[in-house]
Amino acid sequence: RDTGVWFNIVYTRTGASGVYYVDGEEVFTTAAAATGNGGTLQIGGRGTDGYWEGHIDEVRVATECRSSNWVWA
């Protein structure tokens, strides 16, 4: 990806499946998504591999299910 350019990154989770979107395009699906059962939410963390290199702006956490159409819009 280009440096110096803003991206819209979205993660959605349904049950134990998670989907990552970049600028409305699905880029990665995982079956090992966090379950949200009292664990720590990391925004910009990469597990034990360090942290996001760059700026993070306008973070939102929602309890509503979001469709791929909503992410694309």
Side-chain angles (χ1 to χ4, degrees), residues 23-58:
D23 293 334
E25 178 183 340
E26 183 178 323
V27 294
F28 183 73
T29 301
T30 179
T35 59
N37 59 358
T40 303
L41 172 65
Q42 291 186 351
I43 298 173
R46 296 188 315 211
T48 59
D49 190 26
Y51 295 94
W52 179 264
E53 295 179 21
H55 299 281
I56 298 174
D57 189 22
E58 296 187 35

